[in-house]
């Protein structure tokens, strides 16, 4: 995710900003920039890594004792220098760096353009600089920022400098973290404590709805209704490594725990205000072609492929669309029947997976409409497809995909609703039901995450197993495959994912008391059949870990149970997969393995 750094004090600001940006490199970024206040706001930005920014800085003289900096991980607008932060208003009087998403940026941008403002970037963030400039007519500083933020819908961690107030930094937080570091006659601002830990451990953590003016003299805090806020300075005792993982032991765990927030980010601004329509701006340009298509082919690898399999059920149920899901690595060796009325959707976290890219190129050669569901903005899949939707899941550092997978399921749901409405196969009422249930998912995920200790106990009970079967039916079958993949990757337990119905066609021969099965058995339309599969396992002495929404229905059939909240059948995968990620993680720990460093694996597979 993007990183913010700021400094005001007696030292030169630039070295502090550069060290802060370097300390946040682990978060992933595609461009970086700084702005220092001397006689005016001087800004330098570069596409690429901090090394590239340093090269640019060699041609400038950025002297000054206050400044702001940013590493950008693109969400709106490709990763290039023009879209890198800081952003300035028309007259270079306001500079901002921003983390988060401004949902209503398009309407604000149009309004500002009509009033004569010119925009230099494609970002949502730039509107903030212009809005603050406008509001400065009513008084600068916090007043202007406060008035500007009243007009904004979305999330922000915002750091602002004003030409007229060169020795003050202004900060505001809504849904995106910010911390103020307190030094002796100097202050720091960062989105991530690890950025400023080399300088100070004394920190003020902002809460949502808080604004502050930060100068050498002190910190003036207030909230959005302009009442002053008193806050304690806290002593932050984590070491840098722990701070990077948000205090968690591993990136994999940090990313699993982040998931409620990830679903919110993936849906933000993508459901209309009434809650009955999916709004996917990334598909609007190809809306006419989408109306014409008669078949959807989904391609992806690994977890992305399994997300596609869930997508198949979703698109068929909600959009009435014929769907096939293909392993991208096999797609090109076949002779896929593709016409101009076929859409090919590539799912890829990195957007750089070689097989997925080749599949898209094959589809293009055959004149299909190509779509991307990609996390990394500006990546090859995003560039080479005709249209698409970004995950907005933030950078995924853990090698085993967790939050990106959940975000893929979330967006596939939105895409199915969108297509269903476009094709007239989904009523407003039915769409509203799905979207309302989707809205509940972050809280439901949170309750599962609170259950981590009991999942750890299960991992400890089974830590010596050498084999394991994961079973599910209908929407849960792809979750069984994904769960087995997670278990294999990080714990090296041999795990197989099967649909329940297939079990009796072969794998059941493996079952005995040393070969446990994890059965995904929420109370859904196929529950009775799944229960029969459990009976079959038991009859052969197999141990069962049940993942259920209703303990009463299965407690007599299993040794261990993981309970998840009930939601609509089509959304249940978003909940059943969470304990499976935790189980794989806890199993890795129980077996003394580092889940962030699975052997033989790379985060992004850019070779065929
Ligand atoms: C599994 C995992 C991989 C990826 C696969 C595709 O935990 O991470 O199976 O899902 O390599 O990667 P992307 O989504 O980057 O195309």
């Amino acid at each position: 995710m993007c990183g913010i750094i700021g400094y005001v004090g007696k030292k030169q600001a630039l070295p502090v900003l550069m060290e802060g940006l370097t300390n946040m490199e682990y978060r992933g970024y595609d461009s970086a920039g700084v702005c220092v206040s001397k006689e005016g706001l001087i800004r330098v930005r570069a596409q690429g890594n901090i090394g590239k920014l340093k090269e640019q800085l060699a041609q400038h003289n950025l002297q000054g004792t206050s400044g702001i900096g940013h590493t950008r991980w693109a969400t709106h607008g490709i990763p290039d220098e023009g879209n890198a932060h800081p952003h300035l208003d028309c007259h270079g009087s306001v500079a901002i760096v921003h983390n988060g998403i401004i949902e209503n940026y398009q309407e604000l941008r149009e309004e500002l353009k009509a009033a004569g403002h010119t925009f230099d970037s494609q970002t949502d963030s730039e509107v903030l600089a212009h809005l603050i400039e406008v509001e400065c007519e009513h008084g600068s500083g916090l007043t202007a920022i406060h008035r500007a933020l009243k007009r904004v819908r979305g999330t922000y961690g915002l750091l602002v400098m004003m030409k007229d107030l060169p020795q003050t930094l202004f900060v505001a937080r809504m849904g995106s973290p910010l911390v103020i570091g307190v030094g002796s006659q100097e202050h720091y601002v960062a989105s991530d404590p690890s950025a400023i830990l080399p300088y100070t451990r004394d920190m003020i953590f902002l809460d949502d709805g808080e604004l502050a003016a930060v100068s050498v003299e002190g910190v003036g805090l207030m909230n959005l209704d302009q009442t002053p806020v008193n806050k304690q300075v806290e002593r932050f005792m984590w070491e840098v490594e722990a701070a990077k993982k948000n205090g968690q032991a591993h990136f994999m765990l940090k990313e699993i725990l982040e998931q409620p927030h990830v679903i919110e980010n993936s849906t933000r601004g993508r459901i209309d205000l009434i809650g009955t329509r999916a709004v996917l701006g990334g598909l609007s340009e190809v809306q006419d072609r989408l109306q014409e298509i008669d078949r959807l082919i989904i391609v992806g690898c690994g977890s992305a492929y399994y997300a596609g399999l869930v997508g198949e059920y979703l698109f068929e149920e909600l959009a009435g669309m014929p769907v096939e899901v293909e392993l991208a690595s096999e797609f090109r060796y076949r002779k896929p029947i593709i016409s101009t009325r076929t859409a090919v959707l590539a799912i890829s976290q990195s957007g750089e997976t070689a097989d997925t890219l080749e599949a898209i190129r094959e589809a293009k050669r055959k004149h299909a409409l190509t779509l991307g569901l990609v996390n990394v903005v500006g990546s090859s899949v995003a560039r080479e497809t005709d249209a698409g939707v970004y995950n907005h899941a933030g950078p995924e550092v853990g090698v085993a995909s967790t939050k990106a997978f959940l975000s893929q399921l979330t967006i596939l749901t939105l895409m199915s609703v969108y297509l269903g409405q476009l094709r007239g196969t989904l009523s407003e009422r039915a769409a509203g039901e799905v979207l309302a249930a989707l809205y509940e998912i972050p809280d439901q995920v949170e309750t599962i995450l609170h259950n981590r200790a009991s999942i750890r106990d299960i991992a400890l009970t089974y830590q010596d197993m050498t084999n394991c079967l994961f079973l599910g039916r209908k929407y849960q079958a792809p979750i069984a495959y994904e769960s087995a993949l997670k278990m294999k990757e990080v714990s090296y337990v041999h795990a197989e994912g099967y649909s329940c119905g297939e079990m009796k066609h072969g794998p059941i021969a493996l079952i005995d008391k040393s070969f446990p099965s994890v059965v995904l058995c929420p109370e859904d339309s196929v529950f009775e059949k799944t229960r029969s599969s459990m009976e079959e396992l038991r009859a052969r002495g197999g141990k069962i870990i049940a993942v259920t929404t209703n303990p009463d229905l299965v407690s007599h059939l299993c040794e261990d149970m993981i309970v998840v909240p009930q939601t609509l059948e089509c959304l249940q995968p978003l909940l059943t997969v969470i304990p499976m990620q935790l189980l794989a993680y806890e199993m890795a720990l129980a077996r003394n393995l580092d889940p962030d460093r699975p052997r033989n694996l790379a985060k992004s597979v850019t070779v065929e």
Side-chain angles (χ1 to χ4, degrees):
M1 205 59 103
C2 310
I4 285 177
I5 176 83
Y7 174 77
V8 57
K10 306 275 184 219
K11 295 196 279 257
Q12 282 299 312
L14 187 60
V16 179
L17 301 180
M18 294 306 285
E19 181 168 2
L21 294 182
T22 307
N23 288 339
M24 289 188 289
E25 277 192 296
Y26 77 96
R27 296 164 69 103
Y29 66 105
D30 45 55
S31 55
V34 290
C35 178
V36 169
S37 176
K38 188 69 187 276
E39 284 131 14
L41 300 172
I42 321 279
R43 166 182 73 168
V44 178
R45 302 174 294 172
Q47 180 182 351
N49 60 24
I50 308 266
K52 293 269 185 285
L53 179 63
K54 282 187 183 148
E55 281 169 26
Q56 298 270 19
L57 281 165
Q59 295 155 38
H60 297 80
N61 181 17
L62 260 70
Q63 300 279 327
T65 55
S66 62
I68 59 179
H70 192 260
T71 46
R72 173 173 189 253
W73 201 77
T75 59
H76 294 66
I78 55 163
D80 66 5
E81 187 180 323
N83 285 329
H85 297 217
H87 290 290
L88 300 175
D89 64 329
C90 297
H91 301 99
S93 55
V94 175
I96 64 111
V97 291
H98 165 236
N99 288 355
I101 297 171
I102 304 301
E103 284 172 29
N104 58 339
Y105 81 99
Q106 251 153 344
E107 55 196 78
L108 291 169
R109 197 174 160 110
E110 290 315 312
E111 179 192 313
L112 287 156
K113 272 186 181 169
H117 289 252
T118 50
F119 283 79
D120 289 336
S121 78
Q122 304 150 338
T123 65
D124 54 332
S125 307
E126 192 185 348
V127 292
L128 292 167
H130 293 264
L131 272 182
I132 295 168
E133 176 191 14
V134 171
E135 297 299 343
C136 277
E137 284 167 21
H138 305 277
S140 64
L142 277 185
T143 311
I145 294 166
H146 173 260
R147 288 176 65 99
L149 291 178
K150 287 263 173 201
R151 308 224 35 220
V152 159
R153 218 172 47 236
T155 53
Y156 47 82
L158 176 67
L159 177 56
V160 184
M161 288 184 88
M162 292 182 180
K163 188 176 162 194
D164 294 345
L165 297 164
Q167 285 305 309
T168 309
L169 305 179
F170 300 96
V171 294
R173 172 188 164 146
M174 183 64 77
S176 189
L178 274 182
V179 59
I180 299 170
V182 181
S184 155
Q185 293 208 308
E186 59 183 3
H187 286 98
Y188 305 81
V189 175
S191 52
D192 182 333
S194 66
I196 53 176
L197 265 178
Y199 299 104
T200 180
R201 288 185 175 276
D202 292 333
M203 303 201 185
I204 301 171
F205 291 87
L206 292 193
D207 285 313
D208 280 352
E210 289 179 348
L211 287 75
V214 183
S215 64
V216 173
E217 287 82 39
V219 177
L221 259 173
M222 61 154 95
N223 56 32
L224 269 178
D225 62 16
Q226 287 188 296
T227 44
V229 174
N230 260 325
K231 278 210 136 156
Q232 294 290 326
V233 176
E234 294 176 40
R235 194 126 182 95
F236 187 82
M237 293 315 294
W238 291 353
E239 296 309 319
V240 174
E241 266 312 299
K244 285 182 178 174
K245 293 172 192 152
N246 207 12
Q248 304 303 336
H250 298 96
F251 281 109
M252 183 178 176
L253 180 60
K254 171 182 173 271
E255 288 162 4
I256 290 173
L257 298 178
E258 245 165 46
Q259 292 180 110
H261 199 53
V262 166
I263 301 174
E264 283 164 2
N265 278 345
S266 296
T267 49
R268 194 177 304 287
R270 289 168 167 173
I271 298 176
D272 72 352
L273 290 177
I274 314 165
T276 54
R277 296 195 82 78
V279 185
L280 296 174
L283 298 183
S284 57
E285 268 180 34
V286 294
Q287 193 167 315
D288 292 345
R289 279 192 76 186
L290 275 175
Q291 246 153 349
E292 299 295 311
I293 61 164
D294 59 11
R295 198 158 136 255
L296 176 67
I297 301 177
I298 303 178
V299 291
C301 297
S303 296
Y305 168 72
Y306 296 141
L309 290 177
V310 178
E312 183 171 28
Y313 288 95
L314 283 164
F315 282 112
E316 287 175 358
E317 181 178 334
L318 302 177
M321 167 76 70
V323 182
E324 287 155 51
V325 190
E326 300 280 352
L327 284 168
S329 53
E330 287 297 317
F331 184 69
R332 48 200 291 234
Y333 303 126
R334 303 203 359 250
K335 299 231 171 324
I337 313 299
I338 291 177
S339 76
T340 48
R341 296 185 66 194
T342 307
V344 177
L345 167 65
I347 305 181
S348 176
Q349 187 285 130
S350 61
E352 300 297 346
T353 300
D355 288 322
T356 309
L357 258 174
E358 279 309 319
I360 278 296
R361 287 172 187 155
E362 177 68 18
K364 281 189 101 138
R365 277 192 286 273
K366 299 203 156 134
H367 309 292
L369 170 67
T370 54
L371 307 172
L373 168 47
V374 174
N375 195 31
V376 179
V377 174
S379 56
S380 302
V381 172
R383 279 185 279 113
E384 294 196 24
T385 42
D386 296 314
V389 183
Y390 284 121
N391 288 99
H392 294 170
E396 193 175 61
V397 179
V399 172
S401 186
T402 52
K403 65 174 182 172
F405 179 79
L406 204 74
S407 166
Q408 285 158 358
L409 299 190
T410 306
I411 292 185
L412 286 166
T413 307
L414 292 176
M415 284 176 117
S416 309
V417 170
Y418 178 87
L419 265 189
Q421 294 193 313
L422 206 60
R423 293 161 56 85
T425 52
L426 189 69
S427 69
E428 204 153 271
R429 190 156 160 265
E433 251 174 57
V434 174
L435 297 174
L438 188 59
Y439 188 75
E440 302 294 322
I441 297 286
D443 284 347
Q444 293 177 315
V445 171
E446 201 75 68
T447 61
I448 302 170
L449 295 173
H450 285 141
N451 209 8
R452 191 181 143 206
S454 66
I455 295 169
R456 182 186 306 134
D457 290 343
I458 295 176
L460 291 173
T461 308
Y462 292 87
Q463 63 178 317
D464 295 324
M465 69 182 178
T466 43
N467 296 294
C468 179
L469 207 56
F470 286 83
L471 296 167
R473 200 179 275 267
K474 198 174 174 184
Y475 275 99
Q476 297 302 323
I479 300 305
Y481 313 151
E482 166 63 7
S483 308
L485 177 63
K486 282 297 88 89
M487 184 62 85
K488 279 191 266 227
E489 277 181 301
V490 298
S491 79
Y492 312 149
V493 171
H494 170 234
E496 294 294 335
Y498 263 91
S499 68
C500 284
E502 268 300 289
M503 185 191 58
K504 54 187 173 301
H505 296 287
I508 198 163
L510 294 167
I511 298 299
D512 62 22
K513 61 180 182 340
S514 66
F515 200 124
S517 303
V518 180
V519 185
L520 304 160
C521 49
E523 202 178 352
D524 57 14
S525 66
V526 289
F527 172 73
E528 289 304 332
K529 291 191 192 315
T530 307
R531 181 159 59 185
S532 302
S533 306
M534 293 169 83
E535 303 273 10
E536 287 162 15
L537 289 169
R538 280 206 86 68
R540 278 134 192 110
K543 291 198 171 113
I544 295 179
I545 303 165
V547 181
T548 178
T549 51
N550 186 343
D552 293 344
L553 294 176
V554 293
S555 55
H556 60 292
L557 287 172
C558 61
E559 275 66 32
D560 294 279
M561 222 168 19
I562 298 170
V563 183
V564 297
Q566 180 93 45
T567 180
L568 297 182
E569 184 178 45
C570 65
L571 300 183
Q572 199 69 54
L574 288 156
L575 299 180
T576 46
V577 74
I578 306 289
M580 299 297 89
Q581 298 167 342
L582 282 171
L583 186 64
Y585 173 78
E586 295 294 348
M587 189 64 80
L589 296 200
R591 293 161 71 91
N592 242 336
L593 298 166
D594 180 349
D596 280 347
R597 292 197 179 80
R599 68 187 174 211
N600 309 336
L601 290 177
K603 181 66 188 155
S604 178
V605 186
T606 53
V607 289
E608 290 173 43

